[in-house]
Amino acid sequence: MSSTEFDAKMIDRQVGRNAELFARAINDLDTAEQRYPYLRILVSIVEQAHPEWNQAPQKDRQIFRLIQQMGARVDEAEIVEVVRVRDEERGYFYD
């Protein structure tokens, strides 16, 4: 990692620099199956940093946009799936 990665302004202070670096590191994984467990961790970090999003109707898309801004280059469908699976595990189901 170059020093410019650390010099750049943090995207979201609530989520933090380490989460941004983690999001970028996910880009090194080749398949959706390899990324899945790491995306679950990253989504968990975002949900903890932004509990106000839990009731948002487009929570999955908001989380995707933030993770994308943090530097992860993953398909929206991957993030949306992770968010929805986590919500279903908690008893919240989408229409």
Side-chain angles (χ1 to χ4, degrees), residues 43-72:
V43 166
S44 175
I45 292 167
V46 171
E47 287 178 334
Q48 288 177 10
H50 290 286
E52 70 277 9
W53 290 0
N54 285 334
Q55 302 303 317
Q58 296 291 320
K59 169 186 165 183
D60 50 357
R61 307 269 186 292
Q62 284 178 288
I63 291 174
F64 165 72
R65 283 190 295 275
L66 178 58
I67 289 175
Q68 189 178 42
Q69 290 172 348
M70 292 167 58

Side-chain angles (χ1 to χ4, degrees), residues 79-90:
I79 301 293
V80 168
E81 178 187 358
V82 169
V83 172
R84 289 179 179 225
V85 166
R86 285 180 50 80
D87 282 349
E88 288 174 6
E89 290 171 351
R90 291 188 213 117

Side-chain angles (χ1 to χ4, degrees), residues 9-24 42 45-46 49-50 66 70:
K9 184 176 178 186
M10 219 181 314
I11 300 299
D12 187 317
R13 285 183 145 322
Q14 290 170 277
V15 176
R17 173 74 68 204
N18 286 337
E20 286 183 27
L21 297 173
F22 187 64
R24 291 182 202 141
L42 188 56
I45 292 167
V46 171
H50 290 286
L66 178 58
M70 292 167 58

